[in-house]
């Protein structure tokens, strides 16, 4: 199992939209609709933002959305706000009752 | 409100066994609806799923760590535990416990605050 591939960093200005990609294989991202996304601020535990590719837990703003095409999942944040600056991680079911995370993406709000 | 709290030694010597406990409050680890997992994060690096356990005691492990990991339950204390043997500096990380509803949908909604374990002599 190799970690899912995410860009090291992305950035955007307040009010803009950014998209973070998460690339895997047909054995993980592409094989199942079980991708989740986590936001992590420095020194804090990760927070679930999206699950089952595109579902939002209660309390997560609808500015956050998820999608998937083939072996790549994406997290889009629209109307960027300063508090969105954080690290973001994708996670996928990888078969045989195992999970795999992405390497993480640092989002900077300019 | 469900809360999870990790506890255990913050310093472990190389080749020894890392032992951590996650105490659950506001919910029962005997629930048939949830699984209980461990995830770690080396300093400045990404997240890695270590393994999970169901109320029945059935365990699921990351293949890359399987030979060194044991996860167990203590229902009388509403706790679950992690043991990682033969540790090296590469096992230095913040260790989190978390709850998820199944072994397929990766919905880690509740997390502990994490505990830093350093492997050093």
């Amino acid at each position: 199992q190799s970690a899912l591939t995410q860009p090291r960093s992305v950035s955007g200005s307040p009010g803009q939209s950014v998209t973070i990609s998460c690339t895997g294989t047909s054995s993980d991202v592409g094989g199942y609709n079980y991708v989740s996304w986590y936001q992590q601020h420095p020194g804090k535990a990760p927070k679930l933002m999206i699950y089952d590719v595109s579902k939002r837990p209660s309390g997560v703003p609808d500015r956050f959305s998820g999608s998937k095409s083939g072996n790549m999942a994406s997290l889009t944040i629209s109307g960027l706000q300063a508090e969105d600056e954080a690290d973001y991680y994708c996670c996928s079911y990888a078969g045989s009752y195992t999970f795999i995370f992405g390497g993480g993406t640092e989002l900077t709000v300019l | 409100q469900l809360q999870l709290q990790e506890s255990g030694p913050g310093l472990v010597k190389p080749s020894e066994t890392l032992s951590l406990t996650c105490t659950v409050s506001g919910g029962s680890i005997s629930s048939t609806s949830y699984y209980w997992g461990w995830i770690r994060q080396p300093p400045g690096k990404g997240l890695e799923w270590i393994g999970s356990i169901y109320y029945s005691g059935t365990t699921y492990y990351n293949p890359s760590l399987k030979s060194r990991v044991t996860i167990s339950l203590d229902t009388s204390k509403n706790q679950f535990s992690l043991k990682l043997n033969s540790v090296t500096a590469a096992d230095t990380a913040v260790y989190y416990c978390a709850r998820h509803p199944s072994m397929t949908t990766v919905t880690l909604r509740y997390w502990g605050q994490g505990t830093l374990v350093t492997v050093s002599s």
Side-chain angles (χ1 to χ4, degrees):
Chain A
Q1 278 187 340
S2 297
L4 305 175
T5 301
Q6 297 181 234
R8 282 276 214 169
S9 64
V10 298
S11 62
S13 299
Q16 288 186 332
S17 294
V18 294
T19 296
I20 300 172
S21 61
C22 171
T23 303
T25 69
S26 58
S27 296
D28 38 64
V29 174
Y32 311 94
N33 288 322
Y34 297 134
V35 176
S36 54
W37 289 90
Y38 301 86
Q39 176 191 68
Q40 186 179 37
H41 287 110
K44 300 294 187 182
K47 175 186 176 183
L48 177 68
M49 304 303 285
I50 295 288
Y51 67 100
D52 292 354
V53 175
S54 61
K55 297 177 182 176
R56 250 187 337 270
S58 60
V60 172
D62 59 7
R63 303 186 293 105
F64 291 84
S65 61
S67 62
K68 192 189 86 166
S69 177
N71 295 338
M72 188 174 77
S74 298
L75 173 71
T76 298
I77 309 170
S78 58
L80 264 182
Q81 297 183 3
E83 60 260 35
D84 299 334
E85 186 163 291
D87 293 329
Y88 291 84
Y89 293 90
C90 62
C91 185
S92 174
Y93 178 62
S96 301
Y97 303 120
T98 64
F99 302 151
I100 187 168
F101 282 93
T105 298
E106 180 182 19
L107 169 62
T108 300
V109 180
L110 302 170
Chain B
Q1 177 75 346
L2 185 77
Q3 292 188 333
L4 298 91
Q5 177 70 57
E6 306 88 350
S7 61
L11 182 63
V12 180
K13 290 182 168 55
S15 80
E16 295 190 344
T17 297
L18 179 159
S19 296
L20 294 174
T21 295
C22 181
T23 300
V24 178
S25 58
S28 172
I29 63 167
S30 297
S31 169
T32 59
S33 300
Y34 300 106
Y35 293 72
W36 307 92
W38 288 97
I39 300 98
R40 70 179 181 178
Q41 184 173 36
K45 296 188 178 181
L47 299 165
E48 180 180 35
W49 173 71
I50 299 170
S52 299
I53 190 166
Y54 192 44
Y55 84 101
S56 61
T58 302
T59 51
Y60 309 86
Y61 297 132
N62 185 324
S64 67
L65 297 169
K66 186 174 184 176
S67 64
R68 299 195 292 131
V69 174
T70 302
I71 297 176
S72 59
L73 290 170
D74 186 339
T75 55
S76 66
K77 296 181 179 178
N78 219 35
Q79 297 175 334
F80 62 106
S81 299
L82 168 70
K83 290 189 185 300
L84 180 66
N85 58 37
S86 304
V87 297
T88 70
D91 295 310
T92 293
V94 174
Y95 285 76
Y96 295 98
C97 56
R99 187 184 84 172
H100 53 103
S102 82
M103 280 311 301
T104 52
T105 175
V106 192
T107 307
L108 297 156
R109 195 184 302 260
Y110 293 97
W111 296 66
Q113 65 185 28
T115 187
L116 175 63
V117 179
T118 301
V119 178
S120 174
S121 55

